[in-house]
């Protein structure tokens, strides 16, 4: 019995919810516990391995190989190269005669072969390209005034160690470096590009030690093999009359 707020002394009664008896609480807890234990026991029994009649448990052995693995992305249908597709045994060998070819255009075509962009199964970041042999590296040509104005710089890492050479000087000293530097600059600048660069072989002269690979001749047409049309003929046609 309590007094209502604002009442003039009149008493009112309000029924309060009665708490369950202690015996009912114990019975309810027992029922819930039995249901929980029964479900857990059923799960454990179904997941437990079968035990033979002899009483000894059978050791679980892994199968030799997997016939078909579950893909991480079931909806993915993009083809990816396998190990046999990127092996050296699956690569073809090509030989390119650089005599009379333009340096930049030849290098871009060779870079496509090293990357595998000439194949329908080309995949970025995967080694699906072929190997290329370049011969007669000293006979490659450049257009315009690059023969005298194109510079090659290298640094020894010490103060004052900058070395600058023109195209003509490098071509006389080590012509292989001209072709290697041009092709390497057209490959990815990461570990993938460094791995592809290992498949390029450049030699001075027409001989190479890769006859056992049976390389196929690779020829380029168009402007790659077109002589420079901007070379000026400085001979005087009237020189014979002025002598």
């Amino acid at each position: 019995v309590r007094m209502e707020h604002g009442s003039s002394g009149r008493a009112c009664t309000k029924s309060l919810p009665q708490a369950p008896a202690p015996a009912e609480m114990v019975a309810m807890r027992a029922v819930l516990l039995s249901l929980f234990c029964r479900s857990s026991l059923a799960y454990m029994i179904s997941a437990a391995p079968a035990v033979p009649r002899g009483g000894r448990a059978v050791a679980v052995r892994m199968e030799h190989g997997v016939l078909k693995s579950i893909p991480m992305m079931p909806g993915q249908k993009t083809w990816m190269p396998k190990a046999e597709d990127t092996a050296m045994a699956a690569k073809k060998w090509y030989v390119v005669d650089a005599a009379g070819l333009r340096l930049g255009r030849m290098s871009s075509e060779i870079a496509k072969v090293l990357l595998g962009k000439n194949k329908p199964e080309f995949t970025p970041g995967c080694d699906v390209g072929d190997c290329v042999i370049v011969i007669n590296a000293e006979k490659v040509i450049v257009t315009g005034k690059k023969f005298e104005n194109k510079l090659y710089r290298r640094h020894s890492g010490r103060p004052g160690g900058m070395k600058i050479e023109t195209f003509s000087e490098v071509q006389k000293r080590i012509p292989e470096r001209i072709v290697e530097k041009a092709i390497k600059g057209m490959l990815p600048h990461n570990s993938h590009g460094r791995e592809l660069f290992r498949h390029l072989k450049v030699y001075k002269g027409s001989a190479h030690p890769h006859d056992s690979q049976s390389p196929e001749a690779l020829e380029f047409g168009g402007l790659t093999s077109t002589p420079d049309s901007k070379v000026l003929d400085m001979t005087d046609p009237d020189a014979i009359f002025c002598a």
Side-chain angles (χ1 to χ4, degrees):
V1 180
R2 63 184 179 86
M3 302 297 294
E4 288 187 351
H5 180 69
S7 60
S8 57
R10 294 181 298 175
C12 67
T13 59
K14 186 175 182 181
S15 59
L16 300 175
Q18 297 181 358
E24 297 178 359
M25 290 291 295
V26 174
M28 188 180 302
R29 291 179 179 177
V31 171
L32 295 176
L33 183 60
S34 61
L35 292 175
F36 176 76
C37 294
R38 185 179 303 175
S39 60
S40 301
L41 184 61
Y43 174 77
M44 294 173 61
I45 292 176
S46 61
V51 180
R53 295 181 180 181
R56 296 176 58 186
V58 180
V60 180
R61 295 186 305 172
M62 299 296 295
E63 295 182 354
H64 182 69
V66 180
L67 297 179
K68 185 176 181 181
S69 61
I70 301 176
M72 294 188 298
M73 300 179 63
Q76 182 179 2
K77 297 183 180 179
T78 303
W79 181 86
M80 293 295 292
K82 309 299 185 297
E84 56 271 13
D85 300 323
T86 60
M88 286 297 296
K91 297 183 181 300
K92 299 179 63 177
W93 286 72
Y94 296 97
V95 57
V96 177
D97 188 0
L101 298 183
R102 299 189 183 187
L103 175 62
R105 294 182 180 272
M106 179 194 69
S107 302
S108 62
E109 297 296 333
I110 294 177
K112 293 178 184 178
V113 178
L114 295 175
L115 286 166
K117 284 192 173 184
N118 57 334
K119 297 182 178 180
E121 59 268 18
F122 167 71
T123 305
C126 297
D127 185 10
V128 294
D130 297 318
C131 300
V132 180
I133 306 168
V134 181
I135 58 176
N136 294 324
E138 75 280 2
K139 298 180 181 180
V140 70
I141 64 173
V142 289
T143 59
K145 299 182 179 179
K146 301 185 187 73
F147 188 78
E148 296 295 339
N149 295 349
K150 185 175 176 63
L151 301 178
Y152 289 89
R153 298 177 176 87
R154 69 183 189 276
H155 203 288
S156 63
R158 304 180 66 86
M162 174 70 75
K163 304 294 182 180
I164 302 177
E165 293 179 294
T166 61
F167 179 89
S168 58
E169 294 174 349
V170 179
Q171 193 174 33
K172 293 178 182 178
R173 189 172 63 88
I174 177 169
E176 298 92 340
R177 180 172 298 175
I178 294 177
V179 179
E180 292 175 351
K181 189 175 182 63
I183 298 176
K184 188 175 183 180
M186 299 181 183
L187 297 176
H189 299 167
N190 49 25
S191 58
H192 177 52
R194 292 189 292 271
E195 180 66 23
L196 296 178
F197 184 71
R198 295 176 62 247
H199 303 158
L200 174 67
K201 311 296 180 181
V202 184
Y203 299 100
K204 177 182 178 181
S206 58
H208 62 85
H210 302 286
D211 293 333
S212 58
Q213 278 74 25
S214 301
E216 301 179 8
L218 187 61
E219 298 180 356
F220 305 118
L223 294 177
T224 306
S225 56
T226 303
D228 188 8
S229 60
K230 296 183 179 181
V231 177
L232 300 178
D233 188 8
M234 304 301 294
T235 58
D236 188 3
D238 299 329
I240 55 176
F241 302 105
C242 298

